[in-house]
Amino acid sequence: MSSFAFFRRLSKSFHDRPSHVKLILICTTVTGGGLLAYSDAGSSSAHQVAVTEKKKVVVLGTGWAATSFLKNLNNPKYEVQVVSPRNYFAFTPLLPSVTCGTVEARSIVEPVRNIAKKGVDVLFNEAECVKIDAENRKVYCRSNTNNNLNGKEEFVVDYDYLIIAVGANVNTFNTPGVVENCHFLKEVEDAQKIRRTVIDCFERANLPNISEEEKKRILHFAIVGGGPTGVEFAASLHDFVNEDMIKLYPGIKDLVKITLLEAGNHILSMFDKRITAFAEDKFQRDGIDVKTGSMVVKVTDKEISTKELKNGGEIKTIPYGMAVWSTGIGTRPFIKDFMSQIGQASRRALATDEWLRVEGCNNVYALGDCATINQRKVMEDIAAIFKKADKDNSGTLTVKEFQEVMNDICERYPQVELYLKNNQMRDVADLLKAAKGDVKKESIELNIEELKAALSKVDSQMKFLPATAQVASQQGTYLAKCFNRMENCEKNPEGPLRFRGEGRHRFKPFRYKHLGQFAPLGGEQTAAQLPGDWVSIGHSSQWLWYSVYASKQVSWRTRALVVSDWTRRFVFGRDSSRI
């Protein structure tokens, strides 16, 4: 009764005092935007405010770069559509642990739909990209699931911005027999397949009708590639065999052999020499046969043929039971097709500028293993730099004039700062003085030819970024922050000077910050190379590895699962069931 009385009084106030009713709000939602209108009771016209239509961002992939982008994107003005053949993110550095049961596969994966920030409109489609049409801003996709769509498994996605973060394929270097006979270690499915094959090898060798020679072949595990993945897998397999499998298969424990094949002179060549030497010595003590200078030229179902580079190219054959190929990365087919469209057919990966934009495509970005940054050279812009710095148009540069643009130069061309550091130069004055000779800093003046001489060796410091999860993750975070500030930076650019144009760049260019790298060597020992050339090897580094990898998980769920798996392994050992 009281509710009825309230509405009756409310209705009466509408009729008796219309001047008190100031606003009538009408909200209408439309796809990609909205319309808000209001009218004053005493007004003869309605005012309308239109909400900007959302920009469509299409993300290809759910790896390190794509996931990092989704985690850090918090601008609700974008409509994001993710297209990937897998609906989860996988913590790939722990794949070697999955191969031997130290960590379970589901402990290192997180559904991609759980990753995006709340408030951002994100749609996911489980499909693979088959073609990119940059001219018409379309992506052609194909479902990779058996969904009985009566042939309607292909669809087209339009975009305003395209982010390519599809990673790379395994590079077989066109070696005969690799695809047919070798295991790879790029995906979760690869690690699970390797785990089943290892157990199969032990079960087959344990059969009573198998000869001693055949048992040795079956239990010979060959790993091709002496990089971090190959070394970590060899160490994990050695621990699995010696800590768990020999207890279950005591009759064949002495027949197991692990061989690591590397075409170069050393394993872990990208690490400090101290780590390389320690790893080779430890593997020798553990009984892992490290063959350097051995280039694989052919793989059959039972033998690997190698060319011994240290012995004049002699060809040798090695019988094996299981082979794992871990020797680098290659370009995906649809990326090759896209590169041919935009004039990059001769390159190994998509070339981007320092802002991660694909060269020749203004609204297309490429991150991670499928791309490489084409850092611009100082000597290509030396005339423009000189003109921009020479504000009085005198034809010469003083130290003061050059210092005014030095911060922009170092930000635009990071090789300059690296050159100063490597040559122990404190500032630009030392650089110019080295070119001018024994002259006081205050009186230094350089013409353009002298500036060219001063900066002639700077571009030699340029380096390509490694294809690692660390690089991809930082690129995804950087690009997300750019998208979050896109509108603000259009009005207030925060990047360096445009030496070949006017004004400033919208954003600061991407800069990779190396945080260190690990190489687990088995036996609860890890080699760590951290910034500042600090090297640590041993059990303490293993605990640092545990803490870093646990903290880098994308969710508390996977963090708890991984830590619990490590605890279970310490208490009960690794599981040898073939599931």
Side-chain angles (χ1 to χ4, degrees), residues 88 90 95 98 105 108-109 186-193:
Y88 58 86
L95 285 179
V98 174
I108 66 167
V109 300
K186 289 283 290 180
E187 304 289 346
V188 173
E189 293 82 357
D190 296 334
Q192 292 174 313
K193 188 176 179 182

Side-chain angles (χ1 to χ4, degrees), residues 332-535:
R332 296 190 184 276
F334 83 92
I335 294 294
K336 288 182 179 179
D337 176 67
F338 178 54
M339 290 167 65
S340 64
Q341 291 180 39
I342 60 176
Q344 295 189 20
S346 61
R347 305 187 70 95
R348 291 185 178 181
L350 279 167
T352 72
D353 62 15
E354 297 88 334
W355 292 269
L356 308 183
R357 291 175 302 197
V358 175
E359 292 183 346
C361 303
N362 192 39
N363 291 332
V364 181
Y365 298 81
L367 325 176
D369 295 355
C370 67
T372 182
I373 296 176
N374 191 13
Q375 175 64 50
R376 193 164 182 83
K377 296 180 179 179
V378 173
M379 298 307 293
E380 292 175 345
D381 295 338
I382 192 69
I385 292 172
F386 186 90
K387 184 178 180 180
K388 189 75 72 172
D390 185 21
K391 293 182 179 180
D392 59 1
N393 297 319
S394 63
T396 60
L397 287 184
T398 64
V399 171
K400 183 179 179 181
E401 285 178 321
F402 201 75
Q403 282 177 333
E404 289 178 356
V405 297
M406 190 60 185
N407 289 338
D408 293 297
I409 291 174
C410 288
E411 197 167 54
R412 182 68 179 85
Y413 311 96
Q415 60 266 39
V416 174
E417 189 173 5
L418 190 61
Y419 180 80
L420 293 175
K421 180 180 178 182
N422 291 342
N423 288 273
Q424 298 180 344
M425 296 180 178
R426 291 172 297 177
D427 52 26
V428 64
D430 289 341
L431 175 64
L432 300 182
K433 186 178 180 180
K436 196 69 175 178
D438 190 16
V439 182
K440 290 184 178 180
K441 294 181 181 180
E442 296 78 11
S443 60
I444 292 177
E445 286 193 17
L446 278 75
N447 58 34
I448 189 168
E449 294 302 324
E450 290 171 327
L451 183 64
K452 287 181 181 179
L455 300 177
S456 60
K457 298 180 181 179
V458 166
D459 290 326
S460 64
Q461 304 296 316
M462 293 171 59
K463 295 180 180 180
F464 290 106
L465 296 178
T468 63
Q470 191 175 162
V471 171
S473 178
Q474 291 186 26
Q475 288 179 336
T477 300
Y478 164 83
L479 191 60
K481 291 179 178 178
C482 290
F483 272 72
N484 291 338
R485 305 191 309 272
M486 187 80 75
E487 292 184 354
N488 292 336
C489 291
E490 289 281 1
K491 300 174 184 176
N492 303 299
E494 60 183 30
L497 283 170
R498 294 180 182 270
F499 289 104
R500 299 174 68 91
E502 297 299 324
R504 290 184 170 273
H505 292 278
R506 283 185 302 178
F507 309 108
K508 294 180 179 180
F510 171 74
R511 289 291 173 265
Y512 169 62
K513 184 178 181 181
H514 186 61
L515 302 176
Q517 53 190 346
F518 292 99
L521 303 175
E524 293 299 311
Q525 295 190 66
T526 290
Q529 184 174 336
L530 303 177
D533 293 328
W534 186 71
V535 171

Side-chain angles (χ1 to χ4, degrees), residues 128-378:
E128 60 179 344
C129 176
V130 294
K131 183 181 178 183
I132 297 173
D133 184 356
E135 184 177 351
N136 297 306
R137 295 189 180 184
K138 295 181 183 294
V139 175
Y140 294 83
C141 307
R142 180 188 301 125
S143 172
N144 65 336
T145 58
N146 185 16
N147 47 20
N148 298 319
L149 291 179
N150 298 321
K152 299 179 181 180
E153 297 174 348
E154 295 189 359
F155 57 93
V156 181
V157 179
D158 297 312
Y159 67 84
D160 293 305
Y161 299 101
L162 176 63
I163 299 173
I164 305 172
V166 295
N169 283 339
V170 175
N171 192 350
T172 65
F173 301 98
N174 296 319
T175 306
V178 171
V179 175
E180 296 83 1
N181 300 299
C182 290
H183 293 270
F184 303 121
L185 193 48
K186 289 283 290 180
E187 304 289 346
V188 173
E189 293 82 357
D190 296 334
Q192 292 174 313
K193 188 176 179 182
I194 289 173
R195 181 176 177 177
R196 289 192 294 268
T197 304
V198 170
I199 297 169
D200 281 346
C201 287
F202 276 88
E203 292 293 352
R204 286 170 55 201
N206 199 45
L207 294 175
N209 59 337
I210 303 296
S211 66
E212 193 80 1
E213 195 65 28
E214 182 66 4
K215 288 181 180 181
K216 287 183 179 179
R217 183 192 69 80
I218 294 172
L219 294 174
H220 185 191
F221 301 97
I223 299 122
V224 183
T229 302
V231 167
E232 184 174 353
F233 172 66
S236 298
L237 181 60
H238 175 268
D239 287 351
F240 184 37
V241 170
N242 287 275
E243 294 175 9
D244 300 277
M245 299 300 279
I246 60 173
K247 299 175 184 176
L248 304 174
Y249 304 88
I252 56 177
K253 65 179 182 180
D254 297 327
L255 304 178
V256 180
K257 184 179 180 181
I258 300 173
T259 299
L260 183 61
L261 301 170
E262 166 58 39
N265 294 325
H266 297 281
I267 61 174
L268 298 177
S269 57
M270 68 291 300
F271 281 77
D272 187 276
K273 292 181 179 179
R274 290 169 287 179
I275 292 177
T276 297
F278 181 87
E280 291 175 348
D281 290 343
K282 184 180 186 303
F283 277 12
Q284 185 177 8
R285 293 194 306 269
D286 291 343
I288 299 175
D289 187 13
V290 178
K291 293 183 179 295
T292 56
S294 296
M295 184 174 69
V296 176
V297 294
K298 185 180 179 182
V299 182
T300 66
D301 59 341
K302 293 183 178 180
E303 288 183 336
I304 294 176
S305 299
T306 63
K307 179 187 285 188
E308 300 302 314
L309 303 178
K310 295 179 179 179
N311 296 329
E314 178 187 358
I315 301 297
K316 290 186 177 181
T317 58
I318 303 172
Y320 74 94
M322 185 190 78
V324 174
W325 186 273
S326 177
T327 61
I329 57 175
T331 310
R332 296 190 184 276
F334 83 92
I335 294 294
K336 288 182 179 179
D337 176 67
F338 178 54
M339 290 167 65
S340 64
Q341 291 180 39
I342 60 176
Q344 295 189 20
S346 61
R347 305 187 70 95
R348 291 185 178 181
L350 279 167
T352 72
D353 62 15
E354 297 88 334
W355 292 269
L356 308 183
R357 291 175 302 197
V358 175
E359 292 183 346
C361 303
N362 192 39
N363 291 332
V364 181
Y365 298 81
L367 325 176
D369 295 355
C370 67
T372 182
I373 296 176
N374 191 13
Q375 175 64 50
R376 193 164 182 83
K377 296 180 179 179
V378 173

